[in-house]
Amino acid sequence: MSFASSVRHFQTLVLSFHGMVVIETVEEERVQTLINAAVNDLQMAVFEWSVASGLTRSQGNLHNRWSNEYTPPGIQQPQLIEGTCEPLEVLRHIQSMGYQAIYWLKDFACHLENPIIARQLRELLHQFSHNRSTLVLTGHNISLPADIAQEVVYFDLKLPEPDELYQAITEVLKSLKGRVKVEIHPEGINALVKAMRGMTLQQARKVIAYAALDDGKLSPDDVKRVLERKIQVLHEEGLLDYIPPEMNPAQLGGFNGLKAWLTRARMGFSAQARAFNLPTPRGILIVGIQGCGKSLAAKTIAREWSMPLLKLDAGRLYDKYIGESEKNFRRAVTLAETMAPAILWIDEIEKSMGQSDSDSDGGLSRRLFGSFLTWLQEKSEEVFVVATANDLSRIPPELLRKGRFDEIFFVDLPDEQERVGILQIHLIRRKQDPRRFDLPTLVQVTDGYSGAEIEQVIITALYRAIHEKCPVDTQLLVEEIQATVPLSISRREDLHRLRAMAMDRFVPVR
Ligand SMILES: Nc1ncnc2c1ncn2[C@@H]1O[C@H](COP(=O)(O)OP(=O)(O)OP(=O)(O)O)[C@@H](O)[C@H]1O
Ligand SMILES: [Mg+2]
């Protein structure tokens, strides 16, 4: 949603007698911009309240945060209305004013645990239902008492749009004038904007200012720095891990069927497909045997498509408070949509959204799964989902129905040709020339071994070679292979069961 449509949406809420709008955000500056833009046409007054400053009549954007002019106290400062710092008092005051306006209450939700304040708020809302005033509540992670929650509407303040980020860069550069050189062209600035998507305005400004001040210039090299900072920021927020395509080294041997399918699916993101009103691909599910490259395939898709990879750590979505986990999920997918086109990778989906043996989580995984299905069905942004799973028996059958994912792939143990690829990739990665090895023999003895097991054998053999001060050769690798019992033997039964369930229903990756 662009900023202009956010403003229109907010205006419509105010005009249609919505007495209370909740905006979950810490970006107060953007709320201010939104409210100011909205009231311009509405010709309404705005009051702001915080427990520290009490109620004040807002004068719009009085302060230009980028100029450093001192304003003596009392001059041009919004006037505090006496006796309104206390939450109960401010509500009573607003009620007695009977004034048609927008009242913005910052971090107010926590006070609503007090039943007297909650009651006073409901009476105020009753008054507002006649006189068309609106309370705007902002804060981080707002949770409201049930009786109040019914009366509010949530307003989704999306993360900053490219034009807002572009403006943030311009403002920062203006404020640093004389101290930094600008060695970046407009396309470079667009690359910076793209790299900053998913950040708040504050975060974006800080990263740009830091990047520019660090070496006295803003240059194309700073795109990488912004990306690195974004990896950190997203990780700290704890919902998504982010790997930019530039830093994704994934290399997948084999999987030719999947690779061919992906080449076709990629067309779905092209301008031509858009011109024909074709739907963009939604996503795929990859099920299969452990260590055979499911996770690696997810990473490879992002790399091949040059898209950012966002790994949803479903375990971290869980929150002890009811409703919070679903909210976390929404936050994560919104973030992914902001960074679209992107790959959203949900690893081991059955662990977080699958059927649990008991109802120990109070139905949480089922609800999360419900949110996920709805989003998957309705999402319009170019977010391609790659979900992976080991345990088919725990995947809710609804997810396996046709039409949920574009395709479901099954990964079996690697065949001969694929084992050649895997051996080559991992030998080269460990600085061993594959031509020095008897690959046909190695391929033969690794029959029944997964990609992960083959990689592990190469690592162990190299350790042994260092220890024994001898070169790694085919013989050494064969010995290590024969000393390892692969899963295909130790867990033969499980494997047969999985194969029987998956073989005819899903598309093989090769
Ligand atoms: N086809 C392959 N090509 C290259 N490397 C592979 C391949 N399959 C597996 N590997 C190696 O094995 C490692 C483990 O693979 P990966 O994590 O993708 O398996 P997985 O199917 O997701 O397993 P799990 O079910 O345990 O999550 C990879 O990091 C990679 O080094
Ligand atoms: Mg995996």
Side-chain angles (χ1 to χ4, degrees):
M1 199 193 296
S2 72
F3 181 69
S5 46
S6 290
V7 171
R8 267 198 310 281
H9 176 44
F10 183 79
Q11 286 174 327
T12 313
L13 290 177
V14 173
L15 290 173
S16 53
F17 296 94
H18 285 84
M20 186 157 145
V21 176
V22 175
I23 310 180
E24 261 190 308
T25 179
V26 286
E27 292 197 278
E28 292 186 348
E29 159 198 11
R30 296 184 67 227
V31 176
Q32 174 137 48
T33 315
L34 174 80
I35 296 180
N36 286 345
V39 295
N40 245 344
D41 298 342
L42 297 176
Q43 300 282 329
M44 282 172 88
V46 181
F47 290 83
E48 290 178 33
W49 176 90
S50 77
V51 75
S53 314
L55 190 68
T56 54
R57 172 127 186 198
S58 166
Q59 316 274 311
N61 273 327
L62 255 189
H63 316 279
N64 178 357
R65 49 183 294 127
W66 300 106
S67 71
N68 192 21
E69 281 160 26
Y70 177 66
T71 315
I75 296 185
Q76 276 200 332
Q77 293 287 0
Q79 282 293 308
L80 163 72
I81 300 170
E82 286 300 325
T84 53
C85 280
E86 292 301 318
L88 185 60
E89 247 121 51
V90 71
L91 295 182
R92 285 191 179 139
H93 187 90
I94 295 172
Q95 193 170 19
S96 69
M97 281 161 75
Y99 195 69
Q100 205 187 78
I102 289 178
Y103 298 92
W104 173 15
L105 309 181
K106 299 170 188 170
D107 303 328
F108 197 84
C110 56
H111 304 295
L112 293 170
E113 281 167 22
N114 176 333
I116 302 175
I117 300 179
R119 178 66 217 175
Q120 181 65 50
L121 181 87
R122 287 182 56 210
E123 289 186 10
L124 183 62
L125 290 182
H126 181 68
Q127 184 191 63
F128 281 6
S129 62
H130 311 301
N131 83 348
R132 199 192 278 150
S133 285
T134 300
L135 282 182
V136 177
L137 232 76
T138 58
H140 182 57
N141 256 346
I142 294 179
S143 72
L144 298 169
D147 49 351
I148 292 180
Q150 284 172 10
E151 306 206 28
V152 310
V153 56
Y154 280 86
F155 184 91
D156 194 6
L157 187 70
K158 299 273 188 212
L159 284 158
E161 292 288 320
D163 52 343
E164 291 175 87
L165 293 170
Y166 198 99
Q167 203 190 337
I169 298 179
T170 325
E171 283 170 3
V172 169
L173 290 178
K174 214 161 95 191
S175 76
L176 298 177
K177 211 170 175 177
R179 262 189 277 177
V180 297
K181 274 196 277 187
V182 180
E183 294 181 2
I184 192 164
H185 295 297
E187 313 92 75
I189 299 216
N190 284 334
L192 276 178
V193 166
K194 193 161 168 230
M196 293 194 304
R197 291 222 65 187
M199 285 178 156
T200 64
L201 266 192
Q202 291 272 17
Q203 289 165 341
R205 279 200 195 104
K206 280 186 199 156
V207 67
I208 285 295
Y210 189 89
L213 285 169
D214 192 36
D215 54 358
K217 60 178 197 254
L218 192 69
S219 66
D221 291 344
D222 287 319
V223 174
K224 186 158 175 258
R225 183 164 308 187
V226 171
L227 285 174
E228 281 165 356
R229 179 67 193 133
K230 189 158 78 176
I231 296 175
Q232 242 175 337
V233 165
L234 296 188
H235 186 77
E236 281 158 17
E237 281 177 11
L239 294 177
L240 291 176
D241 274 329
Y242 164 59
I243 307 170
E246 302 80 347
M247 301 176 195
N248 180 348
Q251 253 189 311
L252 180 70
F255 282 56
N256 291 339
L258 176 68
K259 286 175 181 167
W261 186 91
L262 289 165
T263 309
R264 281 195 307 278
R266 194 180 179 178
M267 297 300 137
F269 292 99
S270 66
Q272 208 178 1
R274 225 167 294 142
F276 289 162
N277 280 336
L278 291 174
T280 42
R282 254 188 304 224
I284 55 173
L285 171 65
I286 308 176
V287 296
I289 295 170
Q290 255 175 42
C292 286
K294 298 182 295 296
S295 301
L296 190 60
K299 293 184 211 161
T300 309
I301 297 169
R303 199 181 79 118
E304 297 278 307
W305 286 6
S306 305
M307 286 187 192
L309 177 67
L310 296 162
K311 182 180 177 194
L312 179 72
D313 188 337
R316 285 193 272 168
L317 291 179
Y318 282 78
D319 194 294
K320 57 183 184 298
Y321 295 109
I322 291 184
E324 287 304 307
S325 306
E326 289 96 318
K327 227 190 260 174
N328 285 342
F329 174 74
R330 285 237 56 96
R331 279 227 316 276
V333 295
T334 308
L335 195 58
E337 285 173 346
T338 311
M339 291 165 69
I343 308 286
L344 181 67
W345 169 26
I346 309 180
D347 206 21
E348 308 190 341
I349 193 170
E350 76 275 30
K351 293 206 175 132
S352 52
M353 301 188 197
Q355 293 158 327
S356 49
D357 302 334
S358 64
D359 226 3
S360 56
D361 67 354
L364 180 57
S365 46
R366 260 203 315 276
R367 288 203 307 276
L368 261 185
F369 175 66
S371 307
F372 171 66
L373 270 195
T374 316
W375 173 75
L376 191 64
Q377 219 63 38
E378 292 173 356
K379 79 188 173 67
S380 58
E381 303 289 335
E382 291 175 347
V383 176
F384 186 77
V385 177
V386 180
T388 61
N390 283 331
D391 188 351
L392 256 184
S393 65
R394 282 182 56 196
I395 298 186
E398 302 97 288
L399 195 61
L400 303 178
R401 272 217 301 269
K402 264 256 166 289
R404 298 288 194 205
F405 285 105
D406 296 318
E407 200 57 89
I408 302 180
F409 289 94
F410 173 61
V411 189
D412 207 332
L413 287 166
D415 61 14
E416 284 186 9
Q417 204 195 351
E418 203 162 278
R419 293 201 298 279
V420 176
I422 297 173
L423 281 160
Q424 283 173 332
I425 288 174
H426 292 289
L427 284 169
I428 293 171
R429 183 169 295 162
R430 266 93 203 177
K431 314 252 182 312
Q432 305 302 313
D433 183 352
R435 287 172 304 190
R436 285 201 307 107
F437 295 84
D438 177 2
L439 285 180
T441 303
L442 290 175
V443 166
Q444 211 187 347
V445 286
T446 48
D447 189 14
Y449 286 67
S450 69
E453 286 162 343
I454 295 174
E455 181 187 15
Q456 198 49 49
V457 163
I458 293 175
I459 294 174
T460 323
L462 272 163
Y463 273 124
R464 199 176 131 195
I466 296 171
H467 181 67
E468 294 176 6
K469 299 190 176 55
C470 63
V472 184
D473 57 10
T474 304
Q475 185 50 36
L476 194 67
L477 281 175
V478 172
E479 282 171 25
E480 285 305 325
I481 292 163
Q482 283 166 348
T484 313
V485 181
L487 275 183
S488 57
I489 293 185
S490 63
R491 301 211 4 225
R492 189 193 305 257
E493 311 280 282
D494 290 347
L495 220 95
H496 280 322
R497 205 170 321 123
L498 179 63
R499 253 191 213 136
M501 275 169 88
M503 211 60 150
D504 306 325
R505 296 169 66 192
F506 310 133
V507 181
V509 290
R510 39 185 97 86

